[in-house]
Amino acid sequence: MAERERVVLKFGGTSVADLDRIRAVAKIVAHEADKGVGVVAVVSAMAGETNRLVALCSQAGDADPALDAHGYEYDTIVSSGEQVTAGLLALILQNSGRKARSWLGWQAPLVTDDAHGRAKIKRIDPGPIGAAIDGGEIAIVAGFQGIDEAGRISTLGRGGSDTTAAAFAAALDAARCDIYTDVDGVYTTDPRINRAAKKMSRIAYEEMLEMAALGAKVLQTRSVELAMAHSVKLRVLSSFGEIGAENPGTVICSEDSIVEKNVVSAVTLSRSEAKISLLSVPDHPGAAADIFTLLGDGGVNVDMIVQSPARSGDAANISFTMGEDDLTRAENALLESQSRIGFEKIISNSDVVKVSVIGVGMKSHTGVAATMFRTLADNAINIHNIATSEIKISVLIDSRYAELAVRALHTAYGLDAAA
Ligand code: ASP
Ligand code: MG
């Protein structure tokens, strides 16, 4: 049992963009420490810094972690951004009379595997930092970085500071993990697409995971997985408000702690989708297996699959979607094997988007899909493909209907903010 309650606070790049912002963060950290809790602050690099460092790597001929022998040097370079912010925040806190110290990944230590550039956390020794905060010191941890078993610096993939924070919260048995950013929470849909978007007060881990997978860039997916596995209470909130002002943000927690479950909590839009249709594929056992083995071996991540009988003969049409980036690779792989697989024609379309509705309440409600399809039909939007999970329905539609679909569905499921 820790001697006193512990909290982990994480500050993203825009929250530490310059010295003024870091001073503002120091005030938030000090305010939290004044409540008598043990505080760990995890920091990102200053806004734009990681991009700058990645660009330097590529100019030096080392952009891809896979290209330098082990990704060691990429990690050595890009991890430096967080080192600077951690030092600056600790220094500013010390200058204001606080006991504070910076901790780099290797000092904590946060040990990872050796998949450099996208390493996974293996373990954190909670001893040293736990003792420091129990003794009244504020611990400032450099996010995103760790050390592999061979003693080389590693990084956790872009956005990895979120995962650093969730991992420390789990290891230190913290009461909460507050993720400070430049928005005041998680929204029912992207407010830039729909002005009726509402900030959610609570969202379930599973919903947040679906949102992240569908392109909402609020949190690194792994941080949510980790928080869910260890029941870490995550909160997303803004670092830009006045200190001490009401700032509840959005709490990400287990489904059980959400009393009023929405049938649909959020509507998401993913623009970088593409679709391939294969016409007149011979309809015999093994055809689909052949096609999708080929794509899998080619590293194509396939998403929504539809098979339907072709107009004539013993054949089927098969269509599927993938990320836009994978389209050319998928086309080439299929064309190379056209005679072996025996399809007649391939049609590709990257002018499509995926719109999804997400909600844990779907598990126990009927008619959710009907509402979605009815709403799209009323707006004369044609659906190409459909995919569902227990808590999500996704449709593929033409990109020109993207905004219309998001807005119409947002209204249909009662998510619009009061005007
Ligand atoms: N600075 C790193 C990045 O931009 C890690 C982070 O901020 O989460 O990806
Ligand atoms: Mg981030």
Side-chain angles (χ1 to χ4, degrees):
M1 216 17 216
E3 282 174 27
R4 52 183 185 154
E5 189 171 286
R6 297 162 167 181
V7 296
V8 173
L9 317 177
K10 182 259 171 181
F11 298 93
T14 49
S15 298
V16 294
D18 54 35
L19 278 178
D20 281 343
R21 292 297 318 148
I22 299 177
R23 285 194 188 95
V25 162
K27 291 211 176 88
I28 297 174
V29 171
H31 180 75
E32 205 64 51
D34 286 342
K35 296 177 188 164
V37 297
V39 178
V40 175
V42 175
V43 290
S44 282
M46 294 158 91
E49 180 62 6
T50 308
N51 287 343
R52 189 183 73 88
L53 295 166
V54 171
L56 277 178
C57 288
S58 44
Q59 285 156 28
D62 202 10
D64 184 348
L67 295 182
D68 88 57
H70 303 281
Y72 294 161
E73 307 314 342
Y74 172 92
D75 283 347
T76 304
I77 298 160
V78 300
S79 64
S80 66
E82 274 71 12
Q83 172 163 348
V84 172
T85 336
L88 287 172
L89 179 56
L91 188 66
I92 288 170
L93 282 163
Q94 288 166 11
N95 288 341
S96 66
R98 302 280 171 164
K99 280 205 291 179
R101 196 187 339 171
S102 65
W103 297 81
L104 301 181
W106 65 270
Q107 290 168 321
L110 183 156
V111 182
T112 73
D113 64 15
D114 62 1
H116 284 267
R118 53 185 163 79
K120 283 215 167 85
I121 300 174
K122 283 181 141 179
R123 62 180 179 277
I124 288 177
D125 179 356
I129 289 185
I133 58 175
D134 287 347
E137 212 174 84
I138 298 170
I140 314 296
V141 174
F144 182 50
Q145 52 168 268
I147 186 172
D148 71 11
E149 301 276 11
R152 305 291 312 192
I153 289 174
S154 53
T155 61
L156 306 178
R158 298 306 305 270
S161 296
D162 296 333
T163 302
T164 306
F168 272 98
L172 293 164
D173 204 13
R176 328 186 290 280
C177 180
D178 284 351
I179 309 279
Y180 281 91
T181 176
D182 51 8
V183 290
D184 61 354
V186 183
Y187 278 72
T188 49
T189 196
D190 186 340
R192 285 166 304 182
I193 297 175
N194 188 353
R195 289 193 7 234
K198 250 187 328 204
K199 184 175 76 70
M200 294 182 251
S201 58
R202 277 169 179 259
I203 174 171
Y205 294 121
E206 292 91 336
E207 293 172 321
M208 193 66 230
L209 279 175
E210 286 287 4
M211 286 185 79
L214 293 165
K217 291 190 195 68
V218 198
L219 290 169
Q220 198 191 37
T221 308
R222 243 188 251 167
S223 69
V224 184
E225 285 165 356
L226 218 150
M228 182 160 105
H230 297 272
S231 303
V232 171
K233 197 166 148 205
L234 285 177
R235 187 160 68 130
V236 173
L237 69 174
S238 168
S239 70
F240 286 74
E242 228 175 280
I243 308 248
E246 215 193 317
N247 185 12
T250 299
V251 172
I252 302 150
C253 55
S254 75
E255 198 186 313
D256 313 334
S257 28
I258 300 179
V259 189
E260 281 220 11
K261 295 186 193 35
N262 287 318
V263 177
V264 168
S265 300
V267 181
T268 62
L269 168 65
S270 164
R271 290 185 194 272
S272 50
E273 304 287 327
K275 170 180 167 168
I276 285 183
S277 305
L278 297 175
L279 305 190
S280 289
V281 182
D283 198 8
H284 61 71
D290 280 350
I291 293 168
F292 293 106
T293 306
L294 191 76
L295 294 165
D297 291 348
V300 176
N301 203 346
V302 172
D303 184 19
M304 311 158 120
I305 302 173
V306 174
Q307 173 169 341
S308 51
R311 210 157 284 167
S312 62
D314 234 5
N317 297 336
I318 296 182
S319 91
F320 58 90
T321 70
M322 74 230 85
E324 220 163 20
D325 297 346
D326 284 348
L327 179 60
T328 315
R329 227 169 336 136
E331 278 173 326
N332 290 342
L334 288 164
L335 284 171
E336 262 170 41
S337 305
Q338 179 163 12
S339 52
R340 184 168 60 79
I341 299 172
F343 59 89
E344 222 157 70
K345 197 172 169 193
I346 175 169
I347 301 173
S348 335
N349 182 0
S350 58
D351 223 3
V352 284
V353 298
K354 182 165 65 176
V355 175
S356 311
V357 299
I358 299 164
V360 286
M362 253 179 235
K363 291 184 198 172
S364 51
H365 278 79
T366 55
V368 187
T371 302
M372 183 171 201
F373 304 149
R374 170 59 45 213
T375 305
L376 295 170
D378 287 347
N379 285 279
I381 301 172
N382 191 36
I383 301 171
H384 294 286
N385 292 42
I386 300 170
T388 61
S389 80
E390 219 185 357
I391 65 162
K392 175 198 78 178
I393 306 169
S394 300
V395 294
L396 194 78
I397 59 172
D398 287 342
S399 13
R400 66 193 146 128
Y401 297 125
E403 284 84 5
L404 175 63
V406 168
R407 279 198 292 266
L409 292 168
H410 201 266
T411 304
Y413 290 107
L415 297 175
D416 288 357

